[in-house]
Amino acid sequence: ATRAAIEHRKSSPQQPAMLMQPRDSLSLDRPPLSPCASINQPTVTADSGCPSIDDMDQMISGFSAMSAAPSVENHEPRGPITVSAHQKFSKDNAHAHVITCVCMDGVGGVATGSYDGTVRRWEEGSGECVKAYTGHTDVVTSVVVYGPWLLSGSRDKTVRQWLMRTGSQVGMFEDHRSSVQRIVLADPWLVAGLGNGQIVLHDLTANKASIKIPSGFRTVTAMAAHGDHVYVGGEDGHVRSFSLEGELVDEYLHGHTGAVEAIAVDDQCMWSGGSDGLVRQWELENSPILNPNSELSSEPSKRQGQTPVRLFSIPGGAVKSIMVCRGSFFIAGGNMVVQRRIQGGEVLASYKGHASNVTGIAISEDTHKLYSGSDDCTVLGYELCCTQE
């Protein structure tokens, strides 16, 4: 019937030429065009202004293929995801001041330190505060977990050891001449970074004398440990790494315009975040090894240093914390946490909910949840997304 209609139009030149409208432009309730099907659009003959018989055959067969072809779904994310907090920790027995740090306690809870001089443990499921650890006389700057103990560093120049279950203080490291700005674990060492730029290593397994290392900074502002190296950031925007024997290994220059406030490390890369709102990614694999016997200079420009391979900007303020987990790195900057893919650096998700700057983040042992503490004195929980093994 279609071919007869076209032959009739060819034999009736007095009728005005009418182009056939392509079917994919009609408002029909049809599935979207599948990439498995191709449609040849009809060509118009010069003499009649109508599609040719051959073109009609190709168009009809194309629509048949489209109807029979299975639909193909694209499961790749179309862009960054915004994740809202699914949990807000209880206000009962909560911190009275700004939260400074967050970590997992290893037994199904979250530990936080605060400007109010206390450490608190929260039950991960209910968000209730289950224990408060009091004794510091100044701001708690860092909290880490070592077996059944919590260790907290403070501006009162001490590191205190708490029995996690009972909340009682069972030890104290006070051989510090300045405030304790950061503490990290590099088993069997507890490493403390001080406000006078000194690094102090305390042996947690034996009653040995502490090892004191000059960092070359006026004050230590960030620290991380990985393997047998400790990475230290300072007020001048640079990062230096040291062995556990106290020897300078590497120096990372051309860095931030303000203090380094966060460091994270894995086997290949190091990430540093600064008060300038930038995150710099550094390669560790091809780092040149400096002469460990050379005298540490307080002038970083006189030493050969590293150049970052990637640079990321974070809107909203200084970068306070960075974590690496399952193919992603997480950046606490401004009032949100941003998740980026390690391979490529693209933004995968933004975690929002705080009213003020996020100061610390931690990821649950099962890597399914993210917890954040903030200047607004609250702790929030999020369901993690877009992670890979």
Side-chain angles (χ1 to χ4, degrees), residues 97-102 113 115 261 274-275 277 314-321 331-338 351-361 371-380 382:
H97 213 309
V98 169
I99 294 172
T100 57
C101 51
V102 181
Y115 264 76
E261 299 201 21
S275 58
I314 303 299
V319 176
K320 294 292 187 179
S321 184
I331 308 161
N335 62 352
M336 71 178 75
V337 180
V338 177
Y351 300 84
K352 299 182 179 180
H354 285 292
S356 190
N357 292 331
V358 178
T359 54
I361 54 177
Y371 297 98
S372 60
S374 168
D375 283 348
D376 61 13
C377 308
T378 65
V379 181
L380 299 181
Y382 306 84

Side-chain angles (χ1 to χ4, degrees), residues 143-325:
V143 178
V144 297
V145 176
Y146 183 69
W149 300 287
L150 281 175
L151 296 161
S152 57
S154 170
R155 291 183 185 172
D156 64 9
K157 304 180 183 180
T158 69
V159 175
R160 298 176 189 250
Q161 184 177 3
W162 315 86
L163 187 59
M164 194 184 308
R165 181 176 55 85
T166 65
S168 58
Q169 181 179 317
V170 296
M172 182 167 61
F173 302 93
E174 50 187 343
D175 187 18
H176 309 124
R177 295 185 178 181
S178 184
S179 61
V180 178
Q181 299 294 102
R182 297 288 187 274
I183 58 173
V184 295
L185 286 175
D187 198 18
W189 299 99
L190 169 70
V191 186
L194 306 185
N196 61 1
Q198 197 173 53
I199 307 167
V200 182
L201 280 68
H202 302 284
D203 194 328
L204 294 173
T205 60
N207 188 19
K208 294 182 180 178
S210 302
I211 299 175
K212 298 181 179 180
I213 308 167
S215 69
F217 299 120
R218 290 196 302 272
T219 182
V220 173
T221 57
M223 278 204 316
H226 187 73
D228 56 357
H229 288 174
V230 177
Y231 298 82
V232 183
E235 81 293 333
D236 60 2
H238 299 153
V239 178
R240 297 182 178 122
S241 67
F242 296 85
S243 70
L244 295 179
E245 289 74 34
E247 298 174 335
L248 176 66
V249 178
D250 283 331
E251 191 165 17
Y252 301 85
L253 309 182
H254 314 294
H256 301 274
T257 57
V260 176
E261 299 201 21
I263 299 174
V265 189
D266 70 2
D267 292 336
Q268 284 81 35
C269 296
M270 177 190 72
W271 292 265
S272 60
S275 58
D276 54 6
L278 299 177
V279 174
R280 296 175 186 265
Q281 181 179 339
W282 314 76
E283 290 284 353
L284 298 182
E285 198 171 23
N286 299 318
S287 300
I289 305 300
L290 302 179
N291 180 7
N293 297 320
S294 62
E295 183 180 355
L296 178 63
S297 170
S298 61
E299 298 290 338
S301 60
K302 294 182 181 180
R303 306 181 65 89
Q304 183 181 8
Q306 298 297 302
T307 301
V309 295
R310 282 180 180 155
L311 178 66
F312 308 99
S313 62
I314 303 299
V319 176
K320 294 292 187 179
S321 184
I322 304 175
M323 285 201 71
V324 181
C325 178

Side-chain angles (χ1 to χ4, degrees), residues 87 89 108-110 121-130:
Q87 182 182 22
F89 282 22
V110 182
R121 278 183 59 235
W122 312 78
E123 188 179 52
E124 191 175 351
S126 66
E128 296 291 332
C129 179
V130 295

Side-chain angles (χ1 to χ4, degrees), residues 1-12 53:
T2 304
R3 296 189 183 187
I6 294 175
E7 292 296 336
H8 176 71
R9 289 171 186 168
K10 286 185 177 181
S11 63
S12 305
I53 297 296

